[in-house]
Amino acid sequence: MNLAFYLLIFSFTPEIGRGSGWSREPFFAFVATGLIINAIVQTLFMPSASELTEMVRTGGLDSVLVRPLDAQFLLSMHRFDFSSMANGLVGLGLLIWAVLRFPVAPPLIAWLLYPLLIVSGVAILYGLIIMLAAATILMGRNQSLYDFWFYITNFSRYPAEIYAGPWGDPLRTFCTFVIPILLVVNVPAGTLARPLSGQAWGMVVLTFAAAGISVGLSRIVFQAALARYRSASS
Amino acid sequence: MWKSPVNVAGAASLSFWPILPHMYNSSETKSDRIIEVNDLAKEYRVYDKPEGLWASVRGLFHRKNRIIHALRGVNLSVGRGEFLAMLGPNGAGKTTFLKLLSGIITPTRGTARVLGHVPWDRADDFRRRFALVMGQKNQLWWDLPAAESFRLHQEIYRIDPARFAKIHDELVDMLGVSRLLGQPVRELSLGERMKLELIAALLHEPEVLFLDEPTIGLDVVAQHTIHEFLRHIQKQRSVTVILTTHYMKDVAALCERVVVVTHGSILYDGSLEQIVDRFTTHKVVTLDLENAPAPGEMERFGFSCEVHGPRVSLRIDRSRIADVLPKLLASQQVRDVSVEDVPLEEIVAGLFRGAANRQAGIDPEQEVGAV
C-alpha cells in the first residue's frame, strides 16, 4: 500500500526535496533498506523485548538471572519471529529492482559499506530497545514507552532532508546526534543511492560510532537496571 | 559453631513458653561454611496509592511512599551438606532471603557469601554451582517438552554429554517421569511439573540447592515422592539445601535444622527437636477409656482437656508426666494411651502469633514518608 502511495507521489514530483538526490529509484532503495532493517529487528529482538514486561511483572525474569548466561543476550534473543522476515525479503526484492534502475551503478565501496551500515542501523535500534527494556525492569511496566518506540522509529522511515525549517532543523539535529534514529536508514541507503562525498563519509563514520555507543550504553543501562530489579512477589 | 540467632527475644510474648539463650552447636570448621550471611537487610519503597481520580492527580506531585522492611539484618551461617528449613508466615522474608542468596535481587545493606561468591555479582562460576526451584514459578520453558528444556540446560551449564546422560537417566528413573519427557510442560499437572523442575535443577549437580515452597499445592502422594527424592539426593550428593515451606511435614521429613523467620528477623535457629523442647512446657496425653469419664473428672490431671466419648485428650506439664501418668492410669480403665509432643504446626503457629503481637505492640512494620 505504501509503495503505491510513493508511486503516486512520484507521479507529481521527480524528487523528494529539491537537490536531495531522493528521486524515484533511490527513494525506493531507501524504503527497501528500511524494510530490511525493520525486518531484522522485528525478527530477532522485538518478540523478546515485548515479552520482557510480562517477565518482569510475573517474576519470570528471576529464572533468567540465576542461569549462567548473559541476561541481556538471553532476554533480547530468547524468541525469534521468522514470519517478520517476509518484509525483509520484499525489501530485498525492492532493493534489487531499484538499484538495477539507478542512473549510475553504486561503486564497490558502497556495496562493501552497505551491509556494515545495515548492521550498524540494527545495532542502533537494538540499543534503543534494550534501554526501553531496562526501563521496564525499573518500572515494572512500560506500555507508554513502547508507544514512544513506535513514534521515535517513525522518524527513521523518511529521508532526513524532509526535516527542515524552524521546527525541522532542531528535530533533525536531535534525531541525528542525540537519539541517532535518522542515521539508521538514511546512511546505508544514501551510501548506495548517492555519491560518497566528504559529508557522506562523515555520516558513515558517525553511524559506526553511534552503533558502538548505542550498544555500549544499552549494556550499562541494562546492568544498572538489573542491579535495581525488585522481582515480583511469589 | 553457628552464630546465635539475631532475635530470640521475639518469643517473649509467648507466655507459656520458656525463653532460653540458644546456640546451634556444630563441629564443622569455618571452611565448611559455604553460606555466610551478615546483617543482611532488604527494604522496598512502595507507592501508597490512594483511591480516586483527584488523589491520583495529587499523586503526580506528592507521593506517599512506604518502606517495607522485607529483611532486617539477618545473620546466618550454613555448613556444607546441611538441610535447613526456613519457616515463617507469609511476608516473613523467606523468599526475599532466597532471592538475595541466589543473586536475583541486591540487598539494601549487609553482606553474603555463597560458595565464596557475592551472589548479586552474578558470576557465571557461582551460577553454575547452585540451583533455585520456586514452587510457584516455572523455570522450564513452558511451551517446550521437558526433554528439550533439559538439553538446553546441558548447553547452558556446559554439562559433559556422557555425564549429562548418566545424571539425567538416574534422576528420571528415580522420579519415574520418563513418559512425561516428550510432553509440553504446559500440559503437565502441578506435581509432574515439580518433579521435572527438580530434575532440571539437579542436572548440573549443584552444590547448593534453594527450594522455595517446592511442595506447595501438591497432593500427599506427590509430597511424599518429593520428600523421598530430596532426602536421597541430599544424602547421596551432600548438597546443601535451604528449603522454605509452610508445611511442617516437609520440615519433619527432611530437615535437621530449622530457622524461624518473622517480620524479616530470625526468631529461632536450631534443631527441630530443640524447637519442641524450647517452646513447649507440656505434652499431649491421649487416652482411650473403657467408659466415658464423668464431667470434670479428668481436669485435675491436666489442662486443655478435650473429651469425645471415651476418648480423652489432655495436656500435662512435662515435668509432671512421670507423676501424673501412673495416677491417671490407676484411676481409669484404659484401653490405649499415647504421650506425644505438641504438634509442630501448633508450636510454630504460636511462635508466629507471638511475634505478630509483639510487632503490632512495639514496632510498627512500616515507616511512612513523603517523597
Side-chain angles (χ1 to χ4, degrees):
Chain A
M1 184 62 91
N2 271 347
L3 295 179
F5 176 68
Y6 293 139
L7 277 172
L8 186 67
I9 289 175
F10 280 108
S11 70
F12 289 97
T13 178
E15 200 172 46
I16 294 179
R18 190 173 295 171
S20 67
W22 295 117
S23 57
R24 195 173 76 156
E25 282 73 25
F27 181 76
F28 277 112
F30 180 96
V31 172
T33 304
L35 283 172
I36 292 168
I37 289 173
N38 197 44
I40 295 171
V41 170
Q42 292 289 340
T43 302
L44 297 182
F45 308 123
M46 279 315 277
S48 302
S50 57
E51 262 184 29
L52 186 64
T53 306
E54 192 63 9
M55 289 180 80
V56 171
R57 205 178 58 75
T58 59
L61 185 55
D62 295 2
S63 58
V64 172
L65 295 179
V66 296
R67 292 189 177 124
L69 268 182
D70 186 87
Q72 184 173 332
F73 167 75
L74 194 65
L75 289 172
S76 55
M77 297 192 74
H78 76 272
R79 192 179 287 274
F80 299 145
D81 176 15
F82 289 106
S83 66
S84 296
M85 277 312 286
N87 280 343
L89 293 175
V90 170
L92 200 61
L94 184 63
L95 182 73
I96 293 166
W97 176 87
V99 170
L100 288 175
R101 283 161 183 75
F102 278 5
V104 181
L108 179 64
I109 186 70
W111 282 114
L112 293 174
L113 283 172
Y114 185 72
L116 294 176
L117 288 165
I118 291 274
V119 171
S120 298
V122 170
I124 290 169
L125 292 181
Y126 172 76
L128 278 174
I129 291 172
I130 292 297
M131 283 187 261
L132 288 177
T136 300
I137 293 169
L138 292 172
M139 295 160 65
R141 57 182 181 157
N142 75 348
Q143 188 50 49
S144 53
L145 286 169
Y146 279 108
D147 292 340
F148 170 76
W149 163 261
F150 175 77
Y151 291 120
I152 202 82
T153 52
N154 237 354
F155 286 112
S156 70
R157 294 183 189 178
Y158 305 103
E161 285 76 5
I162 71 165
Y163 302 106
W167 289 97
D169 285 334
L171 192 62
R172 183 173 170 177
T173 305
F174 181 80
C175 290
T176 303
F177 299 102
V178 182
I179 301 176
I181 203 80
L182 279 180
L183 303 175
V184 171
V185 181
N186 274 273
V187 178
T191 303
L192 211 57
R194 297 186 296 193
L196 271 166
S197 63
Q199 194 191 350
W201 274 109
M203 296 309 276
V204 167
V205 172
L206 181 64
T207 304
F208 288 144
I213 291 168
S214 181
V215 172
L217 192 62
S218 75
R219 183 94 191 144
I220 293 166
V221 172
F222 192 78
Q223 292 300 326
L226 282 186
R228 286 163 185 77
Y229 175 54
R230 292 163 61 117
S231 183
S233 170
S234 59
Chain B
M1 184 180 289
W2 302 108
K3 286 171 188 287
S4 61
V6 169
N7 179 4
V8 292
S13 58
L14 309 172
S15 56
F16 54 96
W17 287 332
I19 304 305
L20 302 168
H22 170 73
M23 296 288 273
Y24 190 79
N25 292 315
S26 166
S27 58
E28 285 171 292
T29 62
K30 189 172 180 178
S31 61
D32 289 316
R33 297 178 195 169
I34 57 173
I35 299 174
E36 291 268 16
V37 174
N38 290 302
D39 193 29
L40 198 63
K42 180 68 183 175
E43 293 169 0
Y44 292 102
R45 176 174 294 217
V46 293
Y47 171 39
D48 221 359
K49 189 177 181 304
E51 284 181 43
L53 179 63
W54 175 238
S56 297
V57 174
R58 275 190 61 201
L60 293 172
F61 307 100
H62 183 79
R63 294 170 82 88
K64 272 193 173 175
N65 291 290
R66 280 185 303 146
I67 304 293
I68 304 287
H69 298 275
L71 276 185
R72 298 166 184 258
V74 166
N75 296 290
L76 192 76
S77 180
V78 182
R80 188 176 293 278
E82 265 199 272
F83 206 133
L84 181 150
M86 285 196 108
L87 297 175
N90 291 329
K94 308 182 296 294
T95 302
T96 300
F97 185 68
L98 287 195
K99 284 178 180 174
L100 284 164
L101 293 193
S102 310
I104 292 171
I105 52 175
T106 52
T108 309
R109 69 161 199 274
T111 61
R113 292 192 88 80
V114 180
L115 296 160
H117 293 271
V118 175
W120 43 91
D121 285 350
R122 300 188 188 123
D124 283 351
D125 179 49
F126 166 61
R127 293 191 289 187
R128 266 183 245 288
R129 293 169 66 193
F130 85 93
L132 169 69
V133 177
M134 301 176 111
Q136 303 195 62
K137 286 177 189 165
N138 299 302
Q139 298 192 70
L140 294 168
W141 278 264
W142 189 243
D143 296 318
L144 294 182
E148 290 189 34
S149 279
F150 295 164
R151 286 279 174 208
L152 271 168
H153 265 76
Q154 184 196 348
E155 296 299 326
I156 290 170
Y157 287 90
R158 297 180 193 163
I159 308 167
D160 172 69
R163 187 81 192 144
F164 172 80
K166 184 178 178 296
I167 299 162
H168 174 272
D169 294 350
E170 191 182 305
L171 295 172
V172 166
D173 282 351
M174 236 185 268
L175 285 170
V177 289
S178 55
R179 69 190 165 80
L180 305 174
L181 297 178
Q183 239 174 298
V185 169
R186 65 169 185 273
E187 292 175 3
L188 301 174
S189 73
L190 183 62
E192 290 170 337
R193 214 160 60 222
M194 184 44 63
K195 288 176 190 171
L196 295 168
E197 290 275 357
L198 284 170
I199 291 174
L202 292 164
L203 282 171
H204 61 285
E205 300 180 275
E207 293 166 61
V208 174
L209 182 59
F210 299 125
L211 300 170
D212 187 26
E213 301 184 32
T215 55
I216 193 160
L218 302 188
D219 63 43
V220 283
V221 178
Q223 280 183 34
H224 182 72
T225 308
I226 285 173
H227 289 164
E228 290 293 311
F229 174 74
L230 288 173
R231 193 163 36 219
H232 177 79
I233 287 291
Q234 197 265 342
K235 284 230 159 58
Q236 185 193 42
R237 302 185 183 181
S238 287
V239 186
T240 306
V241 186
I242 298 186
L243 163 80
T244 73
T245 185
H246 290 292
Y247 298 143
M248 294 309 137
K249 279 183 185 168
D250 289 353
V251 182
L254 298 167
C255 306
E256 292 156 3
R257 184 178 169 195
V258 177
V259 171
V260 179
V261 185
T262 58
H263 299 100
S265 299
I266 292 179
L267 191 66
Y268 172 83
D269 178 2
S271 69
L272 193 57
E273 292 76 33
Q274 279 181 309
I275 204 170
V276 177
D277 292 343
R278 282 188 58 205
F279 297 112
T280 60
T281 54
H282 53 274
K283 284 189 178 268
V284 180
V285 176
T286 307
L287 301 153
D288 270 329
L289 306 176
E290 284 294 339
N291 303 301
E297 188 184 357
M298 304 302 288
E299 273 76 358
R300 62 195 165 105
F301 295 107
F303 58 97
S304 295
C305 184
E306 289 175 20
V307 180
H308 300 286
R311 190 178 180 84
V312 178
S313 171
L314 71 164
R315 296 180 179 225
I316 301 173
D317 195 284
R318 279 179 1 198
S319 62
R320 292 181 56 227
I321 283 277
D323 289 339
V324 173
L325 203 56
K327 291 176 191 165
L328 189 58
L329 294 174
S331 72
Q332 303 289 331
Q333 285 191 301
V334 178
R335 282 195 303 205
D336 193 13
V337 62
S338 71
V339 181
E340 293 167 321
D341 284 319
V342 176
L344 195 56
E345 283 90 343
E346 202 178 305
I347 301 171
V348 173
L351 273 171
F352 294 170
R353 269 197 305 275
N357 293 340
R358 187 176 59 88
Q359 192 77 13
I362 298 170
D363 179 21
E365 183 186 356
Q366 293 139 354
E367 294 159 9
V368 180
V371 176

